[in-house]
Short mmCIF file of all heavy atoms in Angstrom, two decimals:
data_model
loop_
_atom_site.label_atom_id
_atom_site.label_comp_id
_atom_site.label_asym_id
_atom_site.label_seq_id
_atom_site.Cartn_x
_atom_site.Cartn_y
_atom_site.Cartn_z
N LEU A 7 115.97 17.53 82.54
CA LEU A 7 116.49 18.68 81.80
C LEU A 7 115.49 19.15 80.75
O LEU A 7 115.27 20.36 80.59
CB LEU A 7 117.82 18.29 81.14
CG LEU A 7 118.56 19.40 80.40
CD1 LEU A 7 118.93 20.53 81.34
CD2 LEU A 7 119.79 18.86 79.72
N ILE A 8 114.83 18.21 80.05
CA ILE A 8 113.81 18.57 79.07
C ILE A 8 112.64 19.26 79.78
O ILE A 8 112.10 20.27 79.31
CB ILE A 8 113.35 17.34 78.27
CG1 ILE A 8 114.48 16.83 77.39
CG2 ILE A 8 112.11 17.64 77.44
CD1 ILE A 8 114.20 15.51 76.70
N GLY A 9 112.24 18.75 80.92
CA GLY A 9 111.16 19.36 81.70
C GLY A 9 111.53 20.78 82.15
O GLY A 9 110.69 21.69 82.14
N LEU A 10 112.81 20.94 82.52
CA LEU A 10 113.26 22.26 82.93
C LEU A 10 113.23 23.24 81.76
O LEU A 10 112.76 24.38 81.91
CB LEU A 10 114.68 22.17 83.51
CG LEU A 10 115.30 23.49 83.96
CD1 LEU A 10 114.54 24.06 85.15
CD2 LEU A 10 116.77 23.29 84.30
N VAL A 11 113.68 22.81 80.59
CA VAL A 11 113.67 23.69 79.40
C VAL A 11 112.24 24.03 79.02
O VAL A 11 111.92 25.19 78.72
CB VAL A 11 114.44 23.02 78.24
CG1 VAL A 11 114.22 23.77 76.94
CG2 VAL A 11 115.91 22.89 78.55
N ILE A 12 111.36 23.01 79.01
CA ILE A 12 109.96 23.26 78.68
C ILE A 12 109.33 24.19 79.72
O ILE A 12 108.58 25.12 79.39
CB ILE A 12 109.18 21.93 78.57
CG1 ILE A 12 109.66 21.15 77.35
CG2 ILE A 12 107.67 22.18 78.50
CD1 ILE A 12 109.05 19.78 77.21
N GLY A 13 109.66 24.02 80.98
CA GLY A 13 109.14 24.89 82.05
C GLY A 13 109.62 26.34 81.87
O GLY A 13 108.85 27.29 82.08
N ILE A 14 110.88 26.50 81.46
CA ILE A 14 111.41 27.85 81.23
C ILE A 14 110.69 28.50 80.06
O ILE A 14 110.32 29.67 80.11
CB ILE A 14 112.94 27.80 81.02
CG1 ILE A 14 113.63 27.43 82.34
CG2 ILE A 14 113.46 29.12 80.49
CD1 ILE A 14 115.13 27.22 82.21
N ILE A 15 110.47 27.71 78.99
CA ILE A 15 109.77 28.26 77.81
C ILE A 15 108.33 28.63 78.17
O ILE A 15 107.86 29.71 77.82
CB ILE A 15 109.83 27.26 76.63
CG1 ILE A 15 111.26 27.12 76.14
CG2 ILE A 15 108.90 27.69 75.51
CD1 ILE A 15 111.46 26.03 75.10
N VAL A 16 107.64 27.74 78.87
CA VAL A 16 106.26 28.01 79.27
C VAL A 16 106.23 29.22 80.22
O VAL A 16 105.36 30.11 80.10
CB VAL A 16 105.61 26.77 79.91
CG1 VAL A 16 104.29 27.11 80.58
CG2 VAL A 16 105.41 25.68 78.88
N GLY A 17 107.17 29.31 81.12
CA GLY A 17 107.23 30.44 82.04
C GLY A 17 107.50 31.76 81.31
O GLY A 17 106.91 32.80 81.63
N ALA A 18 108.38 31.72 80.31
CA ALA A 18 108.69 32.94 79.54
C ALA A 18 107.47 33.40 78.75
O ALA A 18 107.16 34.59 78.69
CB ALA A 18 109.87 32.68 78.61
N VAL A 19 106.76 32.44 78.14
CA VAL A 19 105.54 32.78 77.39
C VAL A 19 104.48 33.33 78.34
O VAL A 19 103.81 34.34 78.04
CB VAL A 19 105.02 31.56 76.60
CG1 VAL A 19 103.64 31.81 76.01
CG2 VAL A 19 105.99 31.17 75.51
N ALA A 20 104.32 32.72 79.49
CA ALA A 20 103.34 33.19 80.46
C ALA A 20 103.70 34.59 80.98
O ALA A 20 102.83 35.45 81.15
CB ALA A 20 103.24 32.20 81.62
N MET A 21 104.98 34.82 81.20
CA MET A 21 105.41 36.14 81.65
C MET A 21 105.20 37.18 80.55
O MET A 21 104.85 38.33 80.84
CB MET A 21 106.90 36.11 82.05
CG MET A 21 107.16 35.40 83.34
SD MET A 21 106.43 36.23 84.75
CE MET A 21 107.44 37.67 84.85
#
Side-chain angles (χ1 to χ4, degrees):
L7 184 61
I8 293 172
L10 179 66
V11 169
I12 292 175
I14 290 174
I15 293 173
V16 168
V19 170
M21 287 295 290

